[in-house]
Amino acid sequence: MPRIQLRITGDRDVFEDVLNAIHGIDRIERVEEIDDFMNDFRDDSSSQNLSDDMSSKTYTLEVEVPNEKIGERVREIAEETAGTREAAIEFVDPDENEI
């Protein structure tokens, strides 16, 4: 069964909108928020003095679909929903090992 992972950078409300839009697609097998262990990681010292609430959060979502046709629909709906809220969205290969 194909899996789609996506990351949304923005407010929690934006993530919830994308999640609800995906739930509205027929034949979705599973939709689950995944803990993003890199969410609080800062990659350089230039952001040391910034408050954590000043930056956007990243949320990861995993979706199981019955076939690629439904998977393409999930991608379209997610991009459209995130785009209307001006949030960044990234599709991640769930089999990739990220460092």
Side-chain angles (χ1 to χ4, degrees):
M1 185 162 310
R3 287 185 308 155
I4 301 167
Q5 275 191 10
L6 54 100
R7 286 191 196 118
I8 299 166
T9 303
D11 295 333
R12 181 71 189 190
D13 291 344
V14 175
F15 173 77
E16 294 289 338
D17 287 349
V18 173
L19 178 69
N20 290 333
I22 291 172
H23 271 296
I25 301 170
D26 289 337
R27 300 182 56 207
I28 296 295
E29 301 290 328
R30 180 179 67 86
V31 180
E32 181 178 343
E33 181 177 1
I34 303 215
D35 289 334
D36 189 349
F37 298 110
M38 297 298 285
N39 198 25
D40 295 323
F41 180 73
R42 293 196 175 175
D43 61 353
D44 65 17
S45 61
S46 66
S47 61
Q48 277 181 346
N49 296 326
L50 294 177
S51 170
D52 284 337
D53 62 352
M54 289 179 64
S55 64
S56 295
K57 297 285 185 177
T58 301
Y59 304 94
T60 304
L61 188 63
E62 185 172 85
V63 183
E64 284 187 8
V65 294
N67 57 51
E68 280 303 317
K69 183 177 180 181
I70 302 295
E72 187 58 37
R73 184 74 180 135
V74 167
R75 288 179 189 90
E76 289 171 3
I77 293 292
E79 280 186 275
E80 181 180 307
T81 305
T84 60
R85 298 287 307 273
E86 297 181 1
I89 187 166
E90 173 188 12
F91 294 94
V92 182
D93 183 352
D95 297 323
E96 263 183 28
N97 290 327
E98 294 189 59
I99 297 176

